[in-house]
Amino acid sequence: MDKSTSALAVAIGSRVRQERQSRGWTLDQLAQATGVSRRMLVNVEQGATNPSVGTLLRISDALGIGLPALVELPRPRPVTVTRRGEGAALWSSDAGGRGVLVAGTETPDVVELWDWKMVPGDTHGSEAHSPGTKELLQVQEGSISVVVAGEAFILEAGDAVSFPGDVEHSYGAVGKEPARFSLAVFEPGVGSGHRPEATDA
């Protein structure tokens, strides 16, 4: 992990441990609530791993705090400004693609705003989110393929799509140029704990 990724992993681990302990939960109890293995949770809390977005969603949902709160410490102000370069990079590719969570709201109805950059060949697959989740996506540069429940849609710069996030879906860069898109995710009722079983080791 690079320095910024490592610092983010440590911050996330600290927040997970703090939230778990404030509920009086053991690691085994959190593992049962999330469907994530105890070994993975230990690595997350120690900041020793860069967990997948799916794993972070399971943990944040079980803790009832939402993904934005998990990756950013609470601030005592109603207005939160994220400056350029300050978002939480939660996905990256070997070729230089990045998925950055730049803003989010608090529970129970969580909205996440993402800035994605993908280079040709990059693909990110996402498991089904909690029931009722919706996603909105607009392409700023390049072309991307969005696959929702097995159906593919090719989007060019300026195109937008809305789709249910509670089915399997993926994004991928197509063509020869890098692609950039904004993604908004609406997840109602965070903390209900109704995610499908995890497969993370």
Side-chain angles (χ1 to χ4, degrees), residues 24-78:
W25 289 3
T26 65
L27 279 164
D28 289 331
Q29 287 172 313
L30 183 57
Q32 183 176 9
T34 60
V36 175
S37 71
R38 186 181 191 280
R39 185 181 72 225
M40 173 62 80
L41 291 173
V42 168
N43 288 337
V44 168
E45 288 198 0
Q46 292 176 348
T49 187
N50 184 17
S52 70
V53 175
T55 296
L56 292 175
L57 281 168
R58 291 178 186 283
I59 294 170
S60 62
D61 189 48
L63 294 172
I65 60 173
L67 183 59
L70 187 64
V71 302
E72 177 182 283
L73 293 176
R75 298 179 186 176
R77 297 170 295 171

Side-chain angles (χ1 to χ4, degrees), residues 79-143:
V79 177
T80 301
V81 176
T82 304
R83 301 293 182 190
R84 181 183 298 191
E86 291 182 350
L90 299 179
W91 177 86
S92 63
S93 72
D94 292 339
R98 287 169 67 89
V100 180
L101 179 61
V102 294
T105 63
E106 297 178 355
T107 57
D109 296 325
V110 174
V111 179
E112 303 164 8
L113 180 61
W114 293 76
D115 179 31
W116 283 81
K117 175 189 174 185
M118 287 185 156
V119 298
D122 277 350
T123 302
H124 172 68
S126 180
E127 63 187 32
H129 302 315
S130 58
T133 298
K134 306 289 185 191
E135 301 200 14
L136 304 169
L137 182 154
Q138 185 180 32
V139 180
Q140 272 82 49
E141 300 172 9
S143 304

Side-chain angles (χ1 to χ4, degrees), residues 168-181:
E168 286 189 12
H169 53 282
S170 66
Y171 328 103
V174 296
K176 298 180 179 179
E177 301 296 324
R180 187 165 185 174
F181 59 94

Side-chain angles (χ1 to χ4, degrees), residues 126-194:
S126 180
E127 63 187 32
H129 302 315
S130 58
T133 298
K134 306 289 185 191
E135 301 200 14
L136 304 169
L137 182 154
Q138 185 180 32
V139 180
Q140 272 82 49
E141 300 172 9
S143 304
I144 67 164
S145 170
V146 178
V147 180
V148 181
E151 186 176 2
F153 304 87
I154 303 298
L155 304 176
E156 308 289 343
D159 293 346
V161 64
S162 62
F163 58 92
D166 53 8
V167 296
E168 286 189 12
H169 53 282
S170 66
Y171 328 103
V174 296
K176 298 180 179 179
E177 301 296 324
R180 187 165 185 174
F181 59 94
S182 293
L183 175 70
V185 180
F186 168 68
E187 188 178 14
V190 168
S192 61
H194 295 304

